[in-house]
Amino acid sequence: MTERILPLAGVGLGALLSFLVTSLNERTRWRRQQSVRWDERRLTAYAEYAHAVKELAARYHRVAAARGLVSGPVELEPTPDVLAELGEMEARRSALSETLGLLGDTEANTASKTVDHCLWRLECLARGVPMEGEHDWDEAFQDFRAARSRYVEHARASLGVPGAVARDVPWSAEWRPAPGASS
């Protein structure tokens, strides 16, 4: 009797172990696939949001130039068509922000809120909307750039991208436009 039970027990134990190992492998593969799937979507959400806010800030910079707050970029008069376009761009930024809320991690999402606030400050300055306190365009623009950089750093960390975004590379004074120069 023992001669029959031991081989059957060995076959049963082997089948059970095979089932457990296969299940664990499948579960691990499924989790890895899900992780890759969400990482791809998270990367897209982070990148699209970063591009949208950069594009909006550039437009506000041009409107600010038209108001004489800053020199350098090609001026963009705040006509009804331009303001409508800016409204559409802001709506897109807002929709992308909602996607971030679903896919992004806490640090990147918090950094994106700071970027939003800095961007809205630029919008108010560019459009001449009164705000409490004194506000300087150059300071507001630097705050925006710093907030966007922090957002990118947090997004990279969320995606597991190691290292800094870039090293500081000084722009030679000889290559800069002369004060008061226009193109």
Side-chain angles (χ1 to χ4, degrees):
M1 179 91 160
T2 306
E3 291 175 5
R4 292 182 184 164
I5 293 178
L6 286 178
L8 284 175
V11 169
L13 183 61
L16 179 63
L17 287 175
S18 177
F19 173 76
L20 289 175
V21 168
T22 302
S23 294
L24 286 174
N25 284 338
E26 286 298 315
R27 180 179 290 168
T28 300
R29 187 170 60 87
W30 183 83
R31 284 182 180 160
R32 189 173 30 248
Q33 287 173 339
Q34 292 301 309
S35 176
V36 167
R37 175 181 166 199
W38 290 115
D39 281 350
E40 288 173 358
R41 289 182 179 184
R42 191 175 298 117
L43 169 63
T44 300
Y46 285 151
E48 286 181 353
Y49 173 82
H51 179 73
V53 296
K54 185 175 184 178
E55 195 173 11
L56 263 169
R59 292 291 171 92
Y60 293 144
H61 201 174
R62 291 179 61 196
V63 172
R67 291 194 59 238
L69 298 176
V70 66
S71 62
V74 175
E75 297 177 3
L76 182 64
E77 291 295 327
T79 64
D81 288 341
V82 167
L83 295 177
E85 180 185 2
L86 287 170
E88 290 171 11
M89 292 171 71
E90 172 59 24
R92 180 172 181 269
R93 185 223 46 85
S94 180
L96 292 170
S97 184
E98 293 298 321
T99 304
L100 282 182
L102 294 171
L103 298 174
D105 77 352
T106 303
E107 295 304 317
N109 287 342
T110 302
S112 76
K113 298 306 176 202
T114 303
V115 172
D116 291 344
H117 295 169
C118 290
L119 190 62
W120 295 332
R121 181 179 172 202
L122 292 179
E123 178 187 18
C124 289
L125 287 169
R127 295 181 65 185
V129 175
M131 293 183 289
E132 292 188 26
E134 293 292 319
H135 294 276
D136 174 66
W137 175 267
D138 291 331
E139 177 187 328
F141 196 75
Q142 289 305 316
D143 289 347
F144 165 77
R145 290 182 67 188
R148 187 177 178 279
S149 290
R150 281 189 304 277
Y151 162 76
V152 169
E153 289 171 10
H154 288 297
R156 287 170 53 93
S158 170
L159 294 167
V161 179
V165 174
R167 291 184 180 86
D168 190 30
V169 178
W171 191 19
S172 172
E174 297 171 0
W175 299 346
R176 294 182 191 152
S182 62
S183 10

